[in-house]
Amino acid sequence: MRGYVLRRSLLAVLQCLMVLVAVFALGSLLPGDTADVLRGEHGTPAQVAALRTQLGLDEPAWARFWHWLGGLCAGDLGNSLMTGTPVAEDLGRRIGVTALLGVPALVLVTALAPLLGTVSGLREGSRLDRALNSAAVLLHAVPEFVLGLLLVAAVSLAAGLLPATAVGMDTAALLAQPAVLVLPVSVLTARHLCDLTRQVRVGVAAGRHGTVATHLRLLGMRERTVVLRHVLPGALGPAVQQYARCVEGMLGGAVLVEAVFGLRGLGSGFVEAVQNRDLPQVQAYALLFAGVTVAVNLAADLAAYRLAPRREVTA
Amino acid sequence: MTAARTPLDTPPLAIQDLSAHAEGTERPLLEGIELAVPAGSVTAVIGPSGSGKTTLGLAALGASRHGVRLTGQAVLAGTDLLLLEPARRPAARAGRAAQLPQHPATVLDPVRRVGGVLTELAALGHADRAGRKEAVRRALAAAGLDPDAIRRRFPHQLSGGQQQRLALACALVTGARLLVLDEPTSGLDPALAHALGRTVRTLADGGAGVLLLSHDLPLVRDTADRVTVLEHGRAVDAGPTATVLGGGGADPDPGARAPHARRSTVEPSADRHPATRELLAAERRTRAGQAVTPGTAGNDGTTSAPEGPRGVVARGIVVRRRAGDPLAGPVSMAFPPGSRTALLGPSGSGKTTFARVLAGLTTPSQGDVRMDGGPLPRRVDRRTAAQRRAVQYVHQTSADSFAERRPLREQLADTARLLRGLRAEEAAAEAKDLAGVLGLDEALLLRTPDRLSGGQLQRCALVRALTARPALLVCDEVTSALDTVSRERLIEALPRMLVPDRTALLIISHDAPVVRALAAEAAWFDGGRCVRRGPVDELPPIVWSGEPEPGPGGADRPARGG
């Protein structure tokens, strides 16, 4: 086990280094640069060149990378080229919104997926199972933004129960008025809950009839213990990887959901940064998302390893 | 203790007029079985594979395979299990009955540590914490495992023999008064089989009732008080062990007898049922070596051809010591076409690991495997179809190597179709012929794997490997799930089924008659090393007795049960 943890962690560190290089290279490869954008179509080539010098864009790539990396180590993500404010400030504002959206959704998925999956898997083929299954397939088939718009139309506009949008609200405002978050969190939860529930359901349905469970019943073990201590842990192993996708999707910013509800979270921030060719911002976002992905996958692999220790033999 | 729950004079198990019918078939799996397992005794049920032993073992616990209907009575400690709703039966069994299944590796939870599962099971018979702890310790010790060494392990970190003993510990830890043992010695080396036999006897002498389902006649003779013979689901013969299986008389050939047959060879009584006589006769023939003339297991091809070694050659194989891979090596061995080699040695000595390296299933840390002089990639997924075809491996537990819902006929044809490029019909015909030689008829092959017995599946696995016409066929304990009749047939047929001048045979077995009949050369493994080699006929008797060899590796053998 220890060997695997070490190997896997080393790989994660390597991945992070590669991401740093790739993120920087990405900025250099985008056609046009900030100077082009700031000056717009009216700038003369001379003006653009002057601006480039002013912004330090005429330095060689390795020098810019070095400066960027040095700043990064000191916690300085640079200043936005558009507004001149520190990138970290903007990120900080948006992380709050994304967390308000992602954390409740994650908590709901974590609690509901094993529960629904187990209930469904234990009553394979029953009316409840079929109902849950159909709902899952339906939700999976409807794109997030369509689901969001449908909910807004039905719950907010027709029934007038919940606010339809959160345009212009920051973290504090959202906290003061949590009703605004109900619909976006629901959409985000529904999206990820389907996949995960179905994965757990398949594992439980198979494990329940497996040789291990059958033998434990022969020895007289109670059904509840068989399911909770043996069938469910066996089913969670394969579901962990899917769960990692789900965490990435929620903490990495939910672009579509944020767009539908006018939330200013990380997802919309990333899109804006790319549209503005605001290189320091783009780099900061890419780094954040990549870091989350690497960390989440590291955690998922370690958890899967513990849940399916036989991998030691095959890996 | 659990024994206090029921009056002591109630037998742990009484079966009356028990029948079992599979959905959609005419012939019953079991018909009108009457059987009692009194406390303090061992009741054995013997019979060829497919005769219904496993079905009976399950029915005794009020359980059945999917689609099987039970009628009659199975009275466990005064409660007729078949009168209860299936959902309430586990509670009625808890702490009263326990089972040891035929393929123990498949019933151990792969994601849980050994100790945790045992403690859970101990809770079925022991309410208090200290009692549970003590029960786990006692059960592991009784099964011949070191409690401190094993508690934190996962099942996959144990050898096949250790897994078997762990499954026994799982059965013992509940404190049950009835133990159902389904082929408990399959895959055990002679020393461990002997130890298990003594454990079973000790348990019975301690007041438990044991229902022993086995084709291992020496084990039955040593441990059982009464024997019932099963044929086509009917009890055709029954009585005290000595009466049914005979006893007394000197062993005509001490060298050839199975190591754990401590009593003597037996003359089948003329007045027994034909099924009993057939089982006994098959046992005698196998032991006396009449089934094969030793000369047929020739190794004329052992001299290597002048242009370089032909066949599969392993050089300097070392597998870094870690849980489950106990091969220290280095081991070098050649398998020229037509050669017949046996790997012998105690459980956990590295025999299976070495064979897995040949097949590319375990990656060695040093050494290489070559085929006709060219290197074989270390991992099977890097090998080409032709290279995969070259080494075929038949596992100890073949039941889980078949897809659940496909008829066996298709699965057996896959090998020749995928690895040799035959058309589906040709491949199926060839597989059918080979299966016929091993006594598997065509109707059987139309079924899905769950409808076949363990012994039948093991023969199917052998057929599947043989249709590849491999350069090396590895048989890892292939006879462990077979009754004496099927085993004899396999011993007789296998040499003929190998392609002459192409296929080398590598046998891993604890079964001395099988090794003597099939192998010409033998290598003895101990403590992860190959410690002795030579012709089978010249092996010292100590190898056959199954006693641990003095010297390195002998000391760390598990304590005997009892």
Side-chain angles (χ1 to χ4, degrees):
Chain A
M1 175 89 194
R2 207 177 303 145
Y4 178 77
V5 172
L6 257 165
R7 271 204 313 279
R8 186 60 189 81
S9 306
L10 199 69
L11 181 68
V13 170
L14 275 177
Q15 283 171 330
C16 283
L17 288 176
M18 280 161 63
V19 162
L20 281 175
V21 175
V23 161
F24 183 80
L26 181 84
S28 320
L29 290 176
L30 284 177
D33 60 17
T34 317
D36 289 321
V37 177
L38 279 180
R39 276 289 149 194
E41 286 169 14
H42 308 297
T44 63
Q47 282 174 316
V48 173
L51 191 57
R52 229 170 239 151
T53 317
Q54 189 193 330
L55 293 172
L57 295 178
D58 55 348
E59 284 182 59
W62 63 265
R64 279 181 287 141
F65 182 63
W66 188 248
H67 287 152
W68 179 63
L69 213 56
L72 219 56
C73 293
D76 176 16
L77 292 166
N79 291 342
S80 162
L81 297 178
M82 292 302 288
T83 61
T85 53
V87 171
E89 224 168 74
D90 178 56
L91 274 186
R93 258 199 320 276
R94 289 174 183 273
I95 279 178
V97 174
T98 292
L100 277 181
L101 194 60
V103 172
L106 203 56
V107 169
L108 281 174
V109 167
T110 311
L112 288 179
L115 183 73
L116 292 178
T118 306
V119 168
S120 197
L122 288 181
R123 302 180 187 193
E124 204 184 357
S126 70
R127 200 172 295 175
L128 178 73
D129 177 40
R130 277 178 296 165
L132 282 172
N133 242 326
S134 315
V137 171
L138 193 71
L139 283 176
H140 189 87
V142 177
E144 287 177 284
F145 66 94
V146 174
L147 182 65
L149 291 175
L150 282 174
L151 278 179
V152 167
V155 180
S156 305
L157 303 184
L161 291 176
L162 290 165
T165 173
V167 169
M169 296 174 83
D170 60 8
T171 314
L174 287 172
L175 276 176
Q177 206 185 336
V180 175
L181 286 169
V182 172
L183 287 183
V185 167
S186 307
V187 174
L188 204 56
T189 307
R191 177 79 199 147
H192 292 285
L193 189 58
C194 303
D195 299 342
L196 211 53
T197 302
R198 283 166 60 81
Q199 187 115 37
V200 175
R201 174 192 173 276
V202 169
V204 168
R208 184 166 85 92
H209 297 300
T211 51
V212 174
T214 308
H215 184 242
L216 290 170
R217 278 183 211 114
L218 278 183
L219 292 180
M221 192 178 273
R222 279 195 307 172
E223 189 61 25
R224 208 176 64 168
T225 320
V226 172
V227 170
L228 291 182
R229 296 288 188 80
H230 299 270
V231 175
L232 188 56
L236 289 181
V240 164
Q241 300 297 342
Q242 183 73 35
Y243 187 68
R245 295 293 89 67
C246 161
V247 176
E248 277 167 39
M250 288 174 178
L251 299 187
V255 178
L256 290 174
V257 175
E258 284 176 14
V260 169
F261 292 95
L263 287 159
R264 293 176 57 75
L266 291 172
S268 53
F270 190 33
V271 173
E272 281 170 35
V274 172
Q275 276 169 351
N276 294 335
R277 307 266 201 287
D278 194 338
L279 191 56
Q281 274 202 327
V282 173
Q283 285 168 332
Y285 278 111
L287 204 57
L288 180 69
F289 294 159
V292 167
T293 305
V294 169
V296 166
N297 278 296
L298 174 65
D301 277 358
L302 295 182
Y305 186 82
R306 171 61 191 86
L307 286 169
R310 254 182 309 187
R311 273 163 46 120
E312 196 177 341
V313 174
T314 54
Chain B
M1 284 302 291
T2 41
R5 286 190 207 161
T6 50
L8 280 171
D9 53 343
T10 316
L13 177 71
I15 287 175
Q16 267 154 28
D17 194 24
L18 179 78
S19 297
H21 295 262
E23 233 165 62
T25 52
E26 281 287 300
R27 203 161 61 81
L29 299 170
L30 292 174
E31 200 177 358
I33 303 284
E34 307 271 340
L35 189 73
V37 180
S41 79
V42 177
T43 304
V45 175
I46 60 175
S49 61
S51 61
K53 295 195 296 290
T54 297
T55 308
L56 177 58
L58 288 175
L61 300 168
S64 56
R65 286 189 226 185
H66 188 68
V68 173
R69 196 167 44 83
L70 300 175
T71 53
Q73 292 184 6
V75 184
L76 178 69
T79 313
D80 185 357
L81 291 171
L82 300 187
L83 287 179
L84 297 175
E85 288 290 310
R88 293 185 55 201
R89 290 178 195 169
R93 287 194 287 263
R96 296 200 178 111
Q99 189 236 17
L100 179 67
Q102 192 171 347
H103 300 295
T106 61
V107 301
L108 301 172
D109 191 337
V111 306
R112 298 281 313 278
R113 289 186 203 278
V114 167
V117 177
L118 283 170
T119 310
E120 262 166 36
L121 288 169
L124 297 174
H126 305 268
D128 60 313
R129 213 184 148 85
R132 286 200 289 268
K133 215 174 155 188
E134 176 60 18
V136 170
R137 209 191 53 73
R138 264 209 322 265
L140 283 171
L145 291 167
D146 176 4
D148 298 315
I150 213 161
R151 241 189 312 240
R152 299 278 305 156
R153 301 254 192 123
F154 289 100
H156 73 271
Q157 296 171 325
L158 308 175
S159 77
Q162 286 174 321
Q163 288 176 344
Q164 180 113 15
R165 279 172 277 156
L166 175 59
L168 177 64
C170 285
L172 297 181
V173 79
T174 61
R177 278 189 72 214
L178 173 73
L179 275 177
V180 178
L181 309 176
D182 192 351
E183 303 290 4
T185 53
S186 67
L188 293 192
D189 65 52
L192 293 173
H194 182 133
L196 185 89
R198 282 200 314 213
T199 308
V200 169
R201 197 58 246 179
T202 310
L203 290 167
D205 294 343
V210 178
L211 178 59
L212 174 65
L213 313 156
S214 184
H215 58 249
D216 184 346
L217 296 188
L219 172 80
V220 169
R221 214 173 266 127
D222 268 6
T223 55
D225 300 291
R226 289 184 62 81
V227 176
T228 296
V229 181
L230 215 55
E231 189 188 45
H232 301 313
R234 280 197 305 272
V236 294
D237 201 353
T241 309
T243 317
V244 177
L245 296 181
D251 195 323
D253 178 9
R257 72 184 201 178
H260 47 296
R262 279 161 310 285
R263 286 185 205 165
S264 46
T265 325
V266 177
E267 293 301 321
S269 330
D271 56 340
R272 300 317 309 182
H273 188 274
T276 315
R277 291 213 305 269
E278 175 56 23
L279 285 170
L280 286 167
E283 183 199 24
R284 273 197 330 146
R285 282 199 298 273
T286 310
R287 282 221 220 136
Q290 286 167 5
V292 269
T293 29
T296 57
N299 58 333
D300 315 325
T302 36
T303 41
S304 47
E307 69 268 21
R310 285 181 62 220
V312 177
V313 178
R315 292 192 311 197
I317 301 295
V318 175
V319 176
R320 192 154 35 92
R321 233 175 225 280
R322 62 176 182 186
D325 287 339
L327 186 70
V331 179
S332 300
M333 219 175 274
F335 306 96
S339 65
R340 312 270 168 74
T341 316
L343 300 187
L344 308 169
S347 290
S349 61
K351 306 184 297 290
T352 294
T353 305
F354 177 67
R356 284 176 61 89
V357 168
L358 296 175
L361 299 171
T362 292
T363 311
S365 37
Q366 278 173 42
D368 60 359
V369 182
R370 296 177 157 263
M371 160 77 197
D372 291 341
L376 282 178
R378 292 179 165 202
R379 283 170 47 179
V380 70
D381 51 3
R382 305 254 164 87
R383 295 187 182 177
T384 64
Q387 288 169 332
R388 287 181 197 197
R389 187 190 149 191
V391 183
Q392 288 288 312
Y393 193 109
V394 186
H395 282 271
Q396 203 162 340
T397 49
S398 31
D400 17 318
S401 69
F402 287 97
E404 238 172 292
R405 287 169 210 265
R406 279 178 73 207
L408 280 158
R409 194 179 54 169
E410 292 174 25
Q411 299 195 46
L412 296 187
D414 279 350
T415 323
R417 193 169 58 79
L418 297 173
L419 296 182
R420 284 169 51 207
L422 259 56
R423 283 186 300 120
E425 310 89 80
E426 292 168 353
E430 194 178 311
K432 192 195 82 182
D433 290 346
L434 285 172
V437 176
L438 288 180
L440 301 161
D441 62 39
E442 207 178 346
L444 214 60
L445 300 184
L446 293 175
R447 301 193 196 161
T448 49
D450 53 328
R451 308 282 298 274
L452 265 63
S453 76
Q456 287 163 338
L457 281 176
Q458 205 152 20
R459 279 176 280 164
C460 285
L462 190 59
V463 169
R464 187 171 55 177
L466 280 166
T467 52
R469 302 202 173 163
L472 176 65
L473 175 70
V474 182
C475 295
D476 190 349
E477 295 292 355
V478 283
T479 55
S480 64
L482 299 185
D483 60 275
T484 44
V485 177
S486 311
R487 189 178 67 160
E488 185 201 15
R489 197 200 291 246
L490 185 140
I491 291 174
E492 186 265 330
L494 187 57
R496 286 190 283 119
M497 297 165 81
L498 305 173
V499 184
D501 300 328
R502 173 167 171 85
T503 307
L505 183 66
L506 176 61
I507 297 265
I508 300 176
S509 181
H510 295 123
D511 193 340
V514 171
V515 170
R516 281 176 171 278
L518 290 177
E521 300 282 326
W524 175 263
F525 277 59
D526 202 343
R529 289 189 169 74
C530 177
V531 294
R532 189 197 292 276
R533 244 185 256 199
V536 166
D537 299 337
E538 292 170 19
L539 285 177
I542 194 161
V543 171
W544 301 118
S545 74
E547 293 301 321
E549 276 213 63
D556 57 10
R557 297 275 304 284
R560 305 284 188 79

